[in-house]
Amino acid sequence: MSAKDSMAKEYFADNARFADLCNNILYGGREVILPENLKERDTTEVLTALGLDKKTIAMQKLRDIFKNASIKYTGKSYVVLIGVENQSDIHYAIPVKNMFYDVMAYGNQVKETAKKHRKEKDTATSDEFLSGFTKEDKLIPVITITVYLGTKEWDGPRKLSDMFGDVDEELLPFIPDYRINLLAPREITDFTGFRTSIRQLFEVLQNAYDKEKMQEVLQNDEKFSKVDRETVEAINLFAGTDIDIDEKEEVIDMCKAWEEQKNEGRELGERQKIISLVVKKLQKDKSVAEIADDLEEKEEVIAPIYEAALSMKPDYDVEKIYELLEKNKKLA
């Protein structure tokens, strides 16, 4: 399992985040599914329901997260099985993948029901006996949610028919179509329905491609001043940011950390610019004093750069010179 897969699974397995995710996709942000009413299901289940042998079962990828949800809504109580599939990259066969998981989940329910009937010997007719399922037996609905944790636009299929080539239109009514339940950050238009820090994760993923928009989001949303450690780690991994995380802190001020990172970037850029100028003049056989005079800098500033650059000839790699200077600074 990759670092991204492992992080996503652990992050969304948290009941509060899982409930928040489900409520936004299934109930428009209304707080219907509660964290305390979620129960983890064994993700290794369902494969034997299709009669697969052990070798085949071992080769199958298991669901990322699978939970039993007890829902009390509009005066009634419901039970539903909800699976979450995390995708850090676009999956161009996701309808088939999710459909397979759902079929296995239903198959497992039928298998378990049949096992119960065989044990209790309570089927009334030969039809029920052969089916392993009676007219009164009911399945628990299965919902699979795909969470896309990439920063690009989702251009993959959203339903099974998107994967078909040319099909006779008269045949379409006879071909079952499977639709995925997709959450893609770039497509979210309202973040106010989120109650946990997954809001900050999705906001960053939506704007990660544009630093100016990212800056605007961090400045205008006070929630970024208090973000839990796990979410900042997820943001760094999935959005490719490099927010500094103090090991002693459980809550991070992302606004402050982002600004500090920008300042460090400016300082790095200015430092590398000076190094580049020193290298160009060194290649023209200019001395430390001449370079300092040309750049209007003190000789004690230019000298260590000059010496470090000399040790890197003939390539004069600016980044390597910078790294050497930083190393020498720490040893001093």
Side-chain angles (χ1 to χ4, degrees):
M1 184 179 291
S2 71
K4 287 185 176 181
D5 289 339
S6 181
M7 165 72 80
K9 185 172 182 177
E10 182 178 344
Y11 185 76
F12 286 107
D14 174 80
N15 276 0
R17 296 185 189 118
F18 190 94
D20 195 17
L21 178 70
C22 295
N23 283 327
N24 272 273
I25 294 177
L26 306 177
Y27 290 102
R30 298 190 303 281
E31 200 169 9
V32 177
I33 298 175
L34 304 178
E36 58 267 30
N37 293 332
L38 292 169
K39 183 180 179 183
E40 194 79 28
R41 291 292 293 254
D42 180 8
T43 58
T44 63
E45 56 125 52
V46 305
L47 291 172
T48 53
L50 297 183
L52 301 178
D53 58 52
K54 290 183 179 180
K55 183 177 179 181
T56 305
I57 291 172
M59 293 171 62
Q60 299 301 323
K61 180 185 182 301
L62 307 177
R63 273 188 184 274
D64 288 337
I65 310 168
F66 202 35
K67 292 181 185 280
N68 189 102
S70 299
I71 304 170
K72 294 180 180 179
Y73 189 55
T74 62
K76 294 183 179 181
S77 294
Y78 309 90
V79 175
V80 64
L81 297 174
I82 305 176
V84 167
E85 288 303 311
N86 300 300
Q87 292 295 145
S88 54
D89 299 296
I90 297 170
H91 196 306
Y92 291 104
I94 195 69
V96 173
K97 176 186 176 185
N98 287 0
M99 181 172 63
F100 181 56
Y101 286 148
D102 289 357
V103 167
M104 289 192 295
Y106 286 123
N108 187 67
Q109 292 183 54
V110 172
K111 180 187 175 186
E112 291 303 312
T113 301
K115 186 188 297 183
K116 179 175 176 289
H117 286 312
R118 284 197 302 271
K119 182 178 179 181
E120 298 179 1
K121 298 180 180 180
D122 59 355
T123 50
T125 67
S126 60
D127 293 333
E128 289 182 346
F129 177 79
L130 290 172
S131 303
F133 213 76
T134 70
K135 289 173 66 175
E136 289 72 32
D137 289 327
K138 303 299 178 185
L139 293 172
I140 299 174
V142 177
I143 298 171
T144 295
I145 297 169
T146 298
V147 181
Y148 174 50
L149 296 168
T151 57
K152 299 186 297 184
E153 293 276 4
W154 177 272
D155 63 356
R158 295 168 187 265
K159 56 185 184 296
L160 187 63
S161 58
D162 290 342
M163 298 175 64
F164 295 159
D166 292 332
V167 179
D168 184 344
E169 289 190 7
E170 289 189 50
L171 296 178
L172 289 176
F174 304 96
I175 304 172
D177 203 1
Y178 180 93
R179 175 181 57 83
I180 67 170
N181 302 302
L182 175 70
L183 187 149
R186 293 280 289 273
E187 298 174 7
I188 299 174
T189 56
D190 183 6
F191 291 93
T192 58
F194 292 103
R195 290 175 167 79
T196 67
S197 54
I198 62 174
R199 168 177 173 167
Q200 282 74 55
L201 171 61
F202 292 145
E203 280 195 270
V204 170
L205 287 173
Q206 184 179 83
N207 297 285
Y209 70 99
D210 189 323
K211 289 186 177 180
E212 288 187 9
K213 286 187 177 181
M214 177 84 84
Q215 179 71 25
E216 185 180 336
V217 166
L218 292 174
Q219 288 178 336
N220 296 334
D221 190 343
E222 62 179 16
K223 290 184 180 295
F224 278 101
S225 64
K226 294 181 179 180
V227 185
D228 63 270
R229 182 189 187 87
E230 291 85 1
T231 297
V232 178
E233 289 174 346
I235 287 171
N236 277 343
L237 185 61
F238 294 111
T241 55
D242 190 23
I243 303 297
D244 189 42
I245 302 174
D246 190 323
E247 292 183 2
K248 298 177 182 178
E249 295 181 356
E250 290 302 320
V251 177
I252 289 90
D253 185 339
M254 276 195 64
C255 308
K256 181 181 177 182
W258 179 263
E259 195 60 38
E260 289 175 350
Q261 187 183 52
K262 277 184 63 182
N263 292 335
E264 287 173 4
R266 290 193 196 100
E267 291 174 8
L268 172 62
E270 291 171 3
R271 184 74 165 156
Q272 289 185 338
K273 184 178 179 181
I274 292 175
I275 293 171
S276 180
L277 291 171
V278 170
V279 166
K280 287 180 180 178
K281 293 183 180 296
L282 171 61
Q283 289 173 318
K284 294 179 180 178
D285 295 325
K286 290 200 172 187
S287 66
V288 171
E290 289 173 321
I291 295 173
D293 185 55
D294 288 348
L295 300 180
E296 297 181 349
E297 288 281 359
K298 295 179 180 180
E299 286 189 32
E300 53 263 37
V301 172
I302 299 301
I305 299 175
Y306 185 92
E307 294 299 325
L310 273 178
S311 70
M312 294 289 178
K313 66 178 184 180
D315 297 328
Y316 297 112
D317 188 300
V318 172
E319 287 190 12
K320 288 182 179 179
I321 295 170
Y322 174 80
E323 288 172 4
L324 178 59
L325 288 166
E326 288 296 299
K327 181 180 178 181
N328 292 341
K329 188 190 297 183
K330 290 177 182 177
L331 293 174

